Amino acid sequence: MAVQTVALLTAGGLAPCLSSAVGGLIERYTEIAPDVRIIAYQNGYAGLLTGRSVEVTPEVRENAALLHRFGGSPIGNSRVKLTNVADCVERGLVQEGQDPLHVAAEQLTADGVDVLHTIGGDDTNTTAADLAAYLASNDYPLTVVGLPKTIDNDVIPIRQSLGAWTAAEQGALFARNVLAEHSSNPRMLIIHEVMGRHCGWLTAETARRHHAWVAEQQWLPGIGLDPRRWDVHAVFVPEAPIDLAGESTRLKAVMDEIGCVNIFLSEGAGVSEVVAELEAAGQEVPVDPFGHVQLDKVNPGAWFGKQFAERLGAEKVMVQKSGYFSRSAAANAEDLALIRRCTDYAVDAALRGESGVVGEDEERGDELRAVEFPRIAGGKAFDASVPWFTELRESVGQA
């Protein structure tokens, strides 16, 4: 069946690829299938359920390259799980008694959509998988092609998700300014909290890039411009156990020697301990529509700050979160190249009627392909035993 109308949506949290991915899809369709109509649902699945969309006009097609220069998403995001009926009803996205999957399917049919492109992380694409399965089982003729967006780089089996490289680069940039705060107190503890619910890749890569930057600079220790004060002293990720007592002893020696300690902490590290403490105190642990603990409300960084401050004898503690700074950036050159490859393939796959999530398939020799929706999952763990991470930890004194 010839493709006549294509719809785009971006969903979930932001990442430095959304705007560029939208632009890349528009450019590719304009290049090889200029007669295909393109619409964009506003604010992700919320817009799909409520029928809010915008037409991609000739002016937008002509200037789509501008979208590569910006972060965020020009068509807006939201966190909606189509199988969480109660949440969709509560938010006014569907009426009581309606099935969100059916409402979405009917809206796509009403809009004459032949292809739906979803740009998002594991939640977005597992939701797309639910929608694709519903459409297939109910004889709705639609091709669904996803693109993997997540700064955590934690989509199974995608080797590299869009936006993650940029987020790490921006996190390292953020750290340069934040770690200058070591000079604001003679015993300063700085915790750089990096996004990553289940996966420590972003924290590890951010620390690696910052550590490399420190090694490239010229320093003047004689007046106090000491690289040790600007460097990373510990990296904590969910995949590696944290020896609180042992690390406290080691880091106290660092504090005593140079007057500061800089920790790069994945927001998912130690969450089980924080949750256990909250529940023991009789407090309710807040979760989102997908059942995830709301990390911004649990605040692991503050918890670790308290634990280490007492043990290190810190006079001042600063917890700084780079997530919103990092995830809102425009894509860097590394990501732009990957985005271009993926958007080109996504359009080609869509025109072939091939559904799936486009990325380099780790279970198929890193081949760029449309990975089958049933194989897509979130929470891919970072391999903390990879040589580069082991070398990083050893180089900062963390055995």
Side-chain angles (χ1 to χ4, degrees):
M1 183 177 65
V3 174
Q4 295 181 324
T5 299
V6 166
L8 318 176
L9 66 79
T10 60
L14 297 183
C17 66
L18 294 173
S19 184
S20 184
V22 170
L25 290 170
I26 294 171
E27 287 178 309
R28 182 62 171 172
Y29 275 111
T30 301
E31 176 187 357
I32 67 173
D35 294 332
V36 169
R37 173 183 175 237
I38 307 173
I39 64 172
Y41 289 110
Q42 296 179 297
N43 301 113
Y45 290 109
L48 172 56
L49 290 174
T50 55
R52 291 181 293 109
S53 63
V54 294
E55 193 88 15
V56 175
T57 64
E59 179 190 8
V60 172
R61 287 177 182 265
E62 183 179 349
N63 295 284
L66 293 175
L67 296 176
H68 297 301
R69 303 180 186 178
F70 294 89
S73 171
I75 56 178
N77 280 31
S78 64
R79 291 188 182 276
V80 177
K81 187 172 179 63
L82 297 180
T83 54
N84 189 338
V85 179
D87 180 66
C88 290
V89 171
E90 182 179 350
R91 294 164 66 176
L93 300 175
V94 299
Q95 300 299 313
E96 189 74 47
Q98 288 185 312
D99 178 357
L101 287 169
H102 178 74
V103 173
E106 289 296 310
Q107 185 63 54
L108 290 164
T109 301
D111 291 333
V113 175
D114 304 303
V115 173
L116 174 65
H117 286 284
T118 59
I119 310 165
D122 57 291
D123 288 334
T124 298
N125 285 307
T126 52
T127 296
D130 293 334
L131 179 58
Y134 180 88
L135 293 166
S137 63
N138 289 275
D139 297 324
Y140 286 89
L142 184 75
T143 300
V144 182
V145 183
L147 288 168
K149 171 273 321 172
T150 167
I151 62 175
D152 301 346
N153 197 26
D154 65 344
V155 178
I156 299 171
I158 305 297
R159 187 187 70 84
Q160 185 70 32
S161 57
L162 310 184
W165 281 324
T166 304
E169 178 182 82
Q170 291 294 315
L173 174 61
F174 180 92
R176 295 178 202 174
N177 286 1
V178 167
L179 297 191
E181 286 285 338
H182 73 262
S183 57
S184 67
N185 189 278
R187 293 187 70 84
M188 184 73 179
L189 170 61
I190 299 177
I191 295 181
H192 176 195
E193 185 176 328
V194 183
M195 283 186 170
R197 177 182 300 278
H198 303 295
C199 178
W201 180 90
L202 181 60
T203 302
E205 179 66 12
T206 300
R208 185 189 70 80
R209 293 191 182 216
H210 176 74
H211 181 62
W213 174 83
V214 171
E216 293 167 356
Q217 308 311 306
Q218 287 185 302
W219 303 97
L220 195 59
I223 191 65
L225 186 61
D226 190 326
R228 295 175 300 170
R229 293 174 177 163
W230 289 79
D231 212 341
V232 186
H233 301 125
V235 186
F236 298 129
V237 297
E239 296 84 356
I242 301 173
D243 178 5
L244 193 60
E247 281 295 275
S248 295
T249 299
R250 180 181 73 85
L251 293 173
K252 185 176 186 304
V254 174
M255 179 72 81
D256 292 343
E257 182 181 1
I258 65 173
C260 67
V261 165
N262 305 320
I263 295 173
F264 279 50
L265 171 74
S266 174
E267 64 179 353
V271 166
S272 58
E273 289 90 341
V274 181
V275 169
E277 185 175 287
L278 291 174
E279 291 177 339
Q283 298 182 42
E284 182 179 353
V285 178
V287 297
D288 66 15
F290 292 86
H292 303 318
V293 173
Q294 293 183 326
L295 295 176
D296 59 330
K297 297 180 180 178
V298 171
N299 208 347
W303 187 86
F304 273 100
K306 179 181 178 182
Q307 305 303 314
F308 279 113
E310 296 173 356
R311 292 168 170 82
L312 273 55
E315 293 181 4
K316 184 177 180 181
V317 181
M318 175 182 287
V319 179
Q320 290 292 313
K321 305 180 181 184
S322 62
Y324 293 109
F325 178 86
S326 298
R327 76 179 199 171
S328 301
N332 67 9
E334 290 173 284
D335 270 315
L336 285 172
L338 180 61
I339 291 165
R340 175 66 68 187
R341 291 178 60 222
C342 289
T343 53
D344 283 359
Y345 191 99
V347 171
D348 295 347
L351 294 176
R352 293 193 300 267
E354 182 182 353
S355 291
V357 178
V358 174
E360 296 167 327
D361 189 340
E362 290 184 307
E363 298 169 4
R364 301 289 190 277
D366 292 340
E367 177 189 355
L368 183 65
R369 58 188 301 274
V371 180
E372 299 78 6
F373 276 113
R375 296 176 53 218
I376 295 295
K380 181 177 71 173
F382 167 62
D383 181 1
S385 68
V386 293
W388 67 263
F389 186 59
T390 300
E391 292 166 8
L392 170 66
R393 282 160 60 102
E394 289 175 350
S395 68
V396 302
Q398 186 178 9

